[in-house]
Amino acid sequence: MRTFTFRISFVLLFLGGVITSMAQSSFSGGTGTQADPYLISSTDDLIKLSADVNGGLPYSGCFLVHPTNA
């Protein structure tokens, strides 16, 4: 039973990371690091960010910038 629980937990953590990475990778640019922040340069980017956050995707530790403020 413990092995099964461990496997389920691992799969859920892995899928969560993959889904988060896929969701966050479709901004106008950037990787979300301090050196290369996500670029929020369009209305679509802002709507996507809002939908992601409201949907529970974590953005803690990510860096975002509007290009006119870069």
Coordinates of all heavy atoms in Angstrom, one line a residue:
M1 N 0.8 -1.2 0.0 CA 0.0 0.0 0.0 C 0.9 1.3 0.0 O 0.5 2.2 -0.7 CB -0.9 0.0 1.2 CG -1.9 1.1 1.2 SD -3.1 1.0 -0.1 CE -4.3 2.1 0.4
R2 N 2.0 1.2 0.8 CA 2.9 2.4 0.8 C 3.5 2.7 -0.6 O 3.6 3.9 -1.0 CB 4.0 2.2 1.8 CG 3.6 2.5 3.2 CD 4.8 2.5 4.0 NE 4.8 3.8 4.7 CZ 5.6 4.1 5.6 NH1 6.6 3.3 5.9 NH2 5.6 5.3 6.2
T3 N 3.9 1.6 -1.3 CA 4.5 1.8 -2.6 C 3.5 2.5 -3.5 O 3.8 3.4 -4.3 CB 4.9 0.5 -3.2 OG1 5.9 -0.1 -2.2 CG2 5.6 0.7 -4.5
F4 N 2.2 2.0 -3.5 CA 1.2 2.6 -4.3 C 1.0 4.0 -4.0 O 0.9 4.9 -4.9 CB -0.1 1.8 -4.1 CG -1.3 2.3 -4.9 CD1 -1.3 2.1 -6.3 CD2 -2.3 3.0 -4.3 CE1 -2.4 2.6 -7.1 CE2 -3.3 3.5 -5.1 CZ -3.4 3.3 -6.4
T5 N 0.9 4.4 -2.7 CA 0.7 5.8 -2.3 C 1.9 6.6 -2.8 O 1.7 7.7 -3.3 CB 0.5 5.9 -0.8 OG1 -0.6 5.1 -0.4 CG2 0.3 7.3 -0.4
F6 N 3.1 6.1 -2.7 CA 4.3 6.9 -3.1 C 4.2 7.1 -4.6 O 4.5 8.2 -5.1 CB 5.5 6.1 -2.8 CG 6.8 6.7 -3.3 CD1 7.3 7.9 -2.8 CD2 7.4 6.2 -4.4 CE1 8.4 8.5 -3.3 CE2 8.5 6.8 -5.0 CZ 9.0 7.9 -4.4
R7 N 3.8 6.1 -5.4 CA 3.8 6.2 -6.8 C 2.7 7.2 -7.3 O 2.9 8.0 -8.2 CB 3.5 4.9 -7.5 CG 4.6 3.9 -7.5 CD 4.3 2.6 -8.1 NE 5.4 1.7 -8.0 CZ 5.4 0.4 -8.2 NH1 4.2 -0.1 -8.6 NH2 6.4 -0.3 -8.0
I8 N 1.6 7.2 -6.6 CA 0.5 8.2 -6.9 C 1.0 9.6 -6.6 O 0.8 10.5 -7.4 CB -0.8 7.8 -6.2 CG1 -1.4 6.5 -6.6 CG2 -1.8 9.0 -6.3 CD1 -1.9 6.6 -8.1
S9 N 1.6 9.8 -5.5 CA 2.1 11.1 -5.1 C 3.2 11.6 -6.1 O 3.1 12.7 -6.5 CB 2.7 11.0 -3.7 OG 1.8 10.7 -2.8
F10 N 4.1 10.7 -6.5 CA 5.1 11.1 -7.5 C 4.5 11.5 -8.8 O 4.8 12.5 -9.4 CB 6.1 9.9 -7.7 CG 7.1 10.2 -8.7 CD1 8.2 11.0 -8.4 CD2 7.0 9.7 -10.0 CE1 9.2 11.3 -9.3 CE2 8.0 10.0 -10.9 CZ 9.1 10.8 -10.6
V11 N 3.5 10.7 -9.3 CA 2.9 11.0 -10.6 C 2.1 12.4 -10.5 O 2.2 13.2 -11.4 CB 1.9 9.9 -11.0 CG1 1.0 10.3 -12.1 CG2 2.7 8.7 -11.3
L12 N 1.5 12.6 -9.4 CA 0.7 13.9 -9.2 C 1.7 15.1 -9.2 O 1.5 16.1 -9.8 CB -0.2 13.9 -8.0 CG -1.4 12.9 -8.1 CD1 -2.1 12.9 -6.7 CD2 -2.3 13.3 -9.2
L13 N 2.8 14.9 -8.5 CA 3.8 16.0 -8.4 C 4.4 16.2 -9.8 O 4.6 17.4 -10.2 CB 4.9 15.7 -7.4 CG 4.5 15.8 -6.0 CD1 5.7 15.3 -5.1 CD2 4.3 17.3 -5.6
F14 N 4.7 15.2 -10.5 CA 5.3 15.3 -11.8 C 4.3 16.0 -12.8 O 4.7 16.9 -13.5 CB 5.7 13.9 -12.4 CG 6.2 13.9 -13.8 CD1 7.4 14.4 -14.1 CD2 5.4 13.5 -14.8 CE1 7.9 14.4 -15.4 CE2 5.8 13.6 -16.1 CZ 7.1 14.0 -16.4
L15 N 3.1 15.5 -12.8 CA 2.1 16.1 -13.7 C 1.8 17.6 -13.3 O 1.7 18.4 -14.2 CB 0.8 15.3 -13.6 CG 0.8 14.0 -14.3 CD1 -0.5 13.3 -14.1 CD2 1.1 14.1 -15.8
G16 N 1.8 17.9 -12.1 CA 1.7 19.3 -11.7 C 2.8 20.2 -12.2 O 2.5 21.3 -12.7
G17 N 4.0 19.7 -12.1 CA 5.1 20.5 -12.7 C 5.0 20.6 -14.2 O 5.3 21.7 -14.7
V18 N 4.7 19.6 -14.9 CA 4.6 19.6 -16.3 C 3.5 20.6 -16.7 O 3.6 21.4 -17.6 CB 4.3 18.2 -16.9 CG1 3.9 18.3 -18.4 CG2 5.5 17.3 -16.7
I19 N 2.3 20.5 -16.1 CA 1.2 21.4 -16.4 C 1.5 22.8 -16.2 O 1.3 23.7 -17.0 CB -0.1 20.9 -15.7 CG1 -0.6 19.6 -16.2 CG2 -1.2 22.0 -15.8 CD1 -1.7 18.9 -15.4
T20 N 2.2 23.1 -15.0 CA 2.6 24.4 -14.7 C 3.6 24.9 -15.7 O 3.4 26.1 -16.2 CB 3.2 24.5 -13.3 OG1 2.2 24.0 -12.3 CG2 3.6 25.9 -12.9
S21 N 4.5 24.1 -16.1 CA 5.5 24.6 -17.0 C 4.9 24.9 -18.4 O 5.2 25.9 -19.0 CB 6.6 23.5 -17.2 OG 7.4 23.4 -16.0
M22 N 4.0 24.0 -18.8 CA 3.3 24.2 -20.1 C 2.5 25.5 -20.0 O 2.5 26.3 -21.0 CB 2.5 23.0 -20.4 CG 3.2 21.8 -20.9 SD 2.3 20.3 -21.2 CE 0.7 20.8 -21.3
A23 N 1.8 25.7 -19.0 CA 0.9 26.9 -18.8 C 1.7 28.1 -18.8 O 1.3 29.1 -19.4 CB 0.0 26.8 -17.6
Q24 N 2.8 28.2 -18.1 CA 3.6 29.4 -18.0 C 4.5 29.7 -19.2 O 4.9 30.8 -19.3 CB 4.4 29.3 -16.7 CG 3.6 29.3 -15.4 CD 4.5 29.0 -14.2 OE1 5.6 28.7 -14.3 NE2 3.9 29.2 -13.0
S25 N 4.6 28.7 -20.0 CA 5.6 28.9 -21.1 C 5.0 29.6 -22.3 O 5.7 29.9 -23.3 CB 6.1 27.5 -21.6 OG 5.1 26.8 -22.2
S26 N 3.7 30.0 -22.3 CA 3.1 30.6 -23.4 C 2.9 32.1 -23.3 O 2.0 32.6 -24.0 CB 1.8 29.9 -23.7 OG 0.9 30.1 -22.7
F27 N 3.7 32.8 -22.5 CA 3.6 34.2 -22.5 C 4.4 34.7 -23.7 O 5.0 34.0 -24.5 CB 4.2 34.8 -21.2 CG 3.4 34.4 -20.0 CD1 3.8 33.7 -19.0 CD2 2.1 35.0 -19.9 CE1 3.0 33.4 -17.9 CE2 1.3 34.7 -18.8 CZ 1.8 33.9 -17.8
S28 N 4.6 36.1 -23.8 CA 5.3 36.7 -25.0 C 6.8 36.4 -24.9 O 7.4 36.7 -25.9 CB 5.0 38.2 -25.0 OG 3.7 38.4 -25.3
G29 N 7.3 35.8 -23.9 CA 8.7 35.5 -23.8 C 9.1 35.3 -22.3 O 8.3 35.5 -21.4
G30 N 10.3 34.9 -22.2 CA 10.9 34.7 -20.8 C 10.7 33.4 -20.3 O 9.9 32.6 -20.8
T31 N 11.5 33.1 -19.3 CA 11.4 31.7 -18.6 C 10.9 31.9 -17.2 O 10.8 30.9 -16.5 CB 12.8 31.0 -18.6 OG1 13.7 31.9 -18.0 CG2 13.2 30.7 -20.1
G32 N 10.7 33.1 -16.7 CA 10.2 33.3 -15.3 C 11.3 33.4 -14.3 O 11.0 33.6 -13.1
T33 N 12.6 33.5 -14.7 CA 13.6 33.6 -13.7 C 13.9 35.1 -13.6 O 13.4 36.0 -14.4 CB 14.9 33.0 -14.2 OG1 15.4 33.6 -15.4 CG2 14.7 31.5 -14.4
Q34 N 14.7 35.5 -12.6 CA 15.0 36.9 -12.4 C 15.8 37.5 -13.6 O 15.6 38.6 -14.0 CB 15.8 37.1 -11.1 CG 16.0 38.5 -10.7 CD 16.6 38.7 -9.3 OE1 17.1 37.7 -8.7 NE2 16.6 39.9 -8.8
A35 N 16.7 36.6 -14.1 CA 17.5 37.1 -15.3 C 16.7 37.1 -16.6 O 17.0 37.8 -17.5 CB 18.7 36.1 -15.5
D36 N 15.6 36.3 -16.6 CA 14.8 36.2 -17.8 C 13.3 36.1 -17.5 O 12.7 35.1 -17.6 CB 15.2 35.0 -18.7 CG 14.5 34.9 -20.0 OD1 14.1 35.9 -20.6 OD2 14.4 33.7 -20.5
P37 N 12.7 37.2 -17.0 CA 11.3 37.2 -16.5 C 10.3 37.0 -17.6 O 10.6 37.2 -18.8 CB 11.1 38.6 -15.9 CG 12.1 39.5 -16.5 CD 13.3 38.6 -16.9
Y38 N 9.2 36.4 -17.2 CA 8.1 36.3 -18.2 C 7.7 37.7 -18.7 O 7.6 38.6 -17.9 CB 6.8 35.7 -17.6 CG 7.0 34.2 -17.2 CD1 6.8 33.8 -15.9 CD2 7.3 33.3 -18.2 CE1 6.9 32.4 -15.6 CE2 7.5 31.9 -17.8 CZ 7.3 31.5 -16.5 OH 7.4 30.2 -16.2
L39 N 7.5 37.8 -20.0 CA 7.1 39.1 -20.6 C 5.6 39.1 -20.7 O 5.0 38.3 -21.4 CB 7.7 39.3 -21.9 CG 9.2 39.4 -22.0 CD1 9.7 39.5 -23.4 CD2 9.8 40.5 -21.1
I40 N 5.0 40.1 -20.0 CA 3.5 40.3 -20.1 C 3.3 41.5 -20.9 O 3.3 42.6 -20.4 CB 2.9 40.5 -18.6 CG1 3.3 39.3 -17.7 CG2 1.4 40.6 -18.7 CD1 2.9 38.0 -18.1
S41 N 3.2 41.3 -22.2 CA 3.2 42.5 -23.2 C 1.9 42.6 -23.9 O 1.8 43.5 -24.7 CB 4.4 42.3 -24.1 OG 4.3 41.2 -24.9
S42 N 0.9 41.8 -23.7 CA -0.3 41.9 -24.4 C -1.5 41.7 -23.5 O -1.3 41.1 -22.4 CB -0.4 40.9 -25.6 OG -0.5 39.6 -25.1
T43 N -2.6 42.0 -23.9 CA -3.9 41.8 -23.2 C -4.0 40.3 -23.0 O -4.4 39.8 -21.9 CB -5.1 42.4 -23.9 OG1 -4.9 43.8 -24.1 CG2 -6.4 42.1 -23.1
D44 N -3.7 39.5 -24.0 CA -3.8 38.0 -23.9 C -2.9 37.5 -22.8 O -3.3 36.5 -22.1 CB -3.5 37.4 -25.3 CG -4.5 37.6 -26.3 OD1 -5.7 37.9 -26.0 OD2 -4.2 37.5 -27.5
D45 N -1.7 38.0 -22.7 CA -0.8 37.6 -21.6 C -1.4 37.8 -20.3 O -1.4 37.0 -19.4 CB 0.5 38.3 -21.7 CG 1.4 37.9 -22.9 OD1 1.2 36.8 -23.5 OD2 2.3 38.6 -23.3
L46 N -2.0 39.0 -20.1 CA -2.6 39.4 -18.8 C -3.8 38.5 -18.5 O -4.0 38.1 -17.4 CB -2.9 40.9 -18.8 CG -3.3 41.5 -17.5 CD1 -2.1 41.3 -16.5 CD2 -3.6 43.0 -17.6
I47 N -4.6 38.3 -19.5 CA -5.8 37.4 -19.3 C -5.3 36.0 -19.0 O -5.9 35.3 -18.1 CB -6.7 37.4 -20.6 CG1 -7.3 38.7 -20.8 CG2 -7.7 36.3 -20.6 CD1 -8.0 38.9 -22.1
K48 N -4.3 35.5 -19.6 CA -3.8 34.2 -19.3 C -3.2 34.1 -17.9 O -3.5 33.1 -17.2 CB -2.7 33.8 -20.3 CG -2.1 32.4 -20.1 CD -0.9 32.1 -20.9 CE -0.3 30.8 -20.5 NZ -0.6 30.2 -19.3
L49 N -2.5 35.1 -17.5 CA -1.9 35.1 -16.1 C -3.1 35.1 -15.1 O -3.1 34.4 -14.2 CB -1.1 36.4 -15.9 CG -0.5 36.6 -14.5 CD1 0.4 35.4 -14.1 CD2 0.2 37.9 -14.5
S50 N -4.1 35.9 -15.4 CA -5.2 36.0 -14.5 C -5.9 34.6 -14.4 O -6.3 34.1 -13.3 CB -6.2 37.0 -15.0 OG -7.4 37.0 -14.2
A51 N -6.2 34.0 -15.5 CA -6.8 32.7 -15.6 C -6.0 31.6 -14.8 O -6.5 30.8 -14.1 CB -7.1 32.3 -17.0
D52 N -4.7 31.6 -15.1 CA -3.8 30.7 -14.4 C -3.8 30.8 -12.9 O -4.0 29.9 -12.2 CB -2.3 30.9 -14.9 CG -2.1 30.4 -16.3 OD1 -3.0 29.7 -16.9 OD2 -1.0 30.6 -16.8
V53 N -3.7 32.1 -12.4 CA -3.7 32.3 -11.0 C -5.1 31.9 -10.4 O -5.1 31.3 -9.3 CB -3.4 33.8 -10.7 CG1 -3.6 34.1 -9.2 CG2 -1.9 34.1 -11.0
N54 N -6.1 32.3 -11.0 CA -7.5 32.0 -10.5 C -7.7 30.5 -10.6 O -8.5 30.0 -9.8 CB -8.6 32.7 -11.3 CG -8.6 34.2 -11.0 OD1 -8.2 34.6 -9.9 ND2 -9.0 35.0 -11.9
G55 N -7.0 29.8 -11.5 CA -7.2 28.4 -11.6 C -6.3 27.6 -10.6 O -6.3 26.4 -10.6
G56 N -5.4 28.3 -9.9 CA -4.6 27.7 -8.9 C -3.2 27.4 -9.3 O -2.5 26.7 -8.5
L57 N -2.7 27.8 -10.4 CA -1.3 27.6 -10.8 C -0.4 28.5 -10.0 O -0.7 29.7 -9.9 CB -1.1 27.8 -12.3 CG -1.7 26.8 -13.2 CD1 -1.6 27.2 -14.7 CD2 -1.1 25.4 -13.0
P58 N 0.6 27.9 -9.4 CA 1.5 28.8 -8.6 C 2.5 29.6 -9.4 O 3.1 29.1 -10.3 CB 2.3 27.7 -7.8 CG 2.3 26.5 -8.7 CD 1.0 26.5 -9.4
Y59 N 2.6 30.8 -9.1 CA 3.6 31.7 -9.7 C 4.5 32.3 -8.6 O 5.3 33.2 -8.9 CB 2.9 32.9 -10.4 CG 2.4 32.5 -11.8 CD1 1.2 31.9 -12.0 CD2 3.2 32.7 -12.9 CE1 0.7 31.5 -13.3 CE2 2.8 32.3 -14.2 CZ 1.5 31.7 -14.3 OH 1.1 31.4 -15.6
S60 N 4.5 31.7 -7.4 CA 5.4 32.2 -6.4 C 6.9 31.8 -6.9 O 7.1 30.7 -7.4 CB 5.1 31.5 -5.1 OG 5.2 30.1 -5.1
G61 N 7.7 32.8 -6.7 CA 9.1 32.6 -7.1 C 9.4 32.9 -8.6 O 10.5 32.8 -9.0
C62 N 8.3 33.2 -9.3 CA 8.5 33.6 -10.7 C 8.6 35.1 -10.8 O 8.1 35.8 -10.0 CB 7.3 33.1 -11.5 SG 7.2 31.3 -11.7
F63 N 9.3 35.5 -11.9 CA 9.4 37.0 -12.1 C 8.7 37.3 -13.4 O 8.8 36.6 -14.4 CB 10.9 37.3 -12.3 CG 11.7 37.2 -11.0 CD1 12.1 35.9 -10.6 CD2 11.9 38.3 -10.2 CE1 12.8 35.8 -9.4 CE2 12.6 38.1 -9.0 CZ 13.0 36.9 -8.6
L64 N 7.9 38.4 -13.4 CA 7.2 38.9 -14.5 C 7.5 40.4 -14.7 O 7.8 41.1 -13.8 CB 5.7 38.7 -14.2 CG 5.2 37.3 -13.9 CD1 4.9 37.2 -12.4 CD2 4.0 37.0 -14.7
V65 N 7.4 40.8 -16.0 CA 7.7 42.2 -16.3 C 6.9 42.6 -17.5 O 6.6 41.8 -18.4 CB 9.2 42.4 -16.5 CG1 9.7 41.7 -17.8 CG2 9.6 43.9 -16.6
H66 N 6.5 43.9 -17.5 CA 5.9 44.5 -18.6 C 7.0 45.1 -19.4 O 7.8 45.9 -18.8 CB 4.8 45.5 -18.2 CG 4.0 46.0 -19.3 ND1 4.4 47.0 -20.1 CD2 2.8 45.6 -19.8 CE1 3.5 47.2 -21.1 NE2 2.5 46.4 -20.9
P67 N 7.2 44.9 -20.7 CA 8.3 45.3 -21.4 C 8.6 46.8 -21.3 O 9.7 47.3 -21.4 CB 8.1 44.9 -22.9 CG 7.2 43.7 -22.7 CD 6.3 44.0 -21.5
T68 N 7.6 47.7 -21.2 CA 7.8 49.1 -21.1 C 8.4 49.5 -19.8 O 8.9 50.6 -19.6 CB 6.5 49.9 -21.3 OG1 5.5 49.5 -20.3 CG2 5.9 49.7 -22.6
N69 N 8.4 48.5 -18.8 CA 9.0 48.8 -17.5 C 10.3 48.1 -17.3 O 10.9 48.1 -16.3 CB 8.1 48.3 -16.4 CG 6.8 49.1 -16.3 OD1 6.8 50.3 -16.6 ND2 5.7 48.5 -15.8
A70 N 10.8 47.4 -18.4 CA 12.0 46.7 -18.3 C 13.3 47.6 -18.3 O 13.2 48.7 -18.7 CB 12.1 45.7 -19.4

